[in-house]
């Protein structure tokens, strides 16, 4: 699984998830916390790969560009920790 995250001023993120490349366009809206701390199932893996931190699982709505260049609104999920940043983005549902 290839993951390449690039955060810039226009907030572009490239991800590889379930054989799907997508480009996040614009900003993430309606951000909510789903789980934090021991409520995260893969907390041990996050700490092992990225380091210890106050990990939270987040969700939000954003416009994404799919491999065939179509743009659509999607619900995305990711993990983030203070000082480490946002990791492991994935499209959960196309709206």
């Amino acid at each position: 699984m290839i993951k390449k995250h690039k955060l810039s001023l226009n907030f572009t993120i490239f991800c590889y998830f379930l054989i799907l490349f997508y480009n996040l366009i614009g900003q993430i809206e309606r951000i909510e916390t789903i789980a934090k701390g021991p409520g995260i199932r893969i907390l041990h893996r996050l700490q092992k790969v990225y380091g210890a931190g106050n990990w939270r699982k987040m969700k939000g709505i954003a416009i994404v560009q799919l491999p065939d260049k179509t743009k659509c609104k999607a619900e995305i999920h990711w993990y983030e920790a203070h000082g480490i940043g946002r990791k492991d983005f994935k499209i959960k549902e196309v709206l």
Side-chain angles (χ1 to χ4, degrees):
M1 187 179 274
I2 302 168
K3 289 190 171 106
K4 178 178 151 186
H5 301 284
K6 175 186 169 192
L7 295 173
S8 62
L9 293 177
N10 65 352
F11 204 75
T12 303
I13 299 171
F14 300 96
C15 293
Y16 177 76
F17 175 70
L18 296 178
I19 314 170
L20 176 68
F21 286 95
Y22 68 92
N23 186 4
L24 188 62
I25 300 173
Q27 292 194 359
I28 303 170
E29 301 171 349
R30 291 193 268 170
I31 297 174
E32 299 177 31
T33 300
I34 301 172
K36 59 182 179 179
I40 300 173
R41 292 182 185 183
I42 63 165
L43 180 62
H44 180 69
R45 185 187 72 80
L46 291 170
Q47 291 175 341
K48 184 177 178 183
V49 173
Y50 302 113
N54 184 17
W55 286 100
R56 294 178 302 266
K57 183 173 184 179
M58 310 292 284
K59 75 175 183 177
I61 306 293
I63 298 174
V64 295
Q65 185 175 12
L66 301 175
D68 61 354
K69 304 298 182 199
T70 58
K71 295 179 184 177
C72 60
K73 193 176 266 194
E75 179 180 323
I76 56 173
H77 289 202
W78 71 93
Y79 299 95
E80 72 178 34
H82 181 73
I84 298 172
R86 297 175 173 179
K87 304 292 181 185
D88 297 349
F89 281 80
K90 56 188 163 191
I91 295 176
K92 207 60 171 174
E93 180 182 2
V94 176
L95 305 174

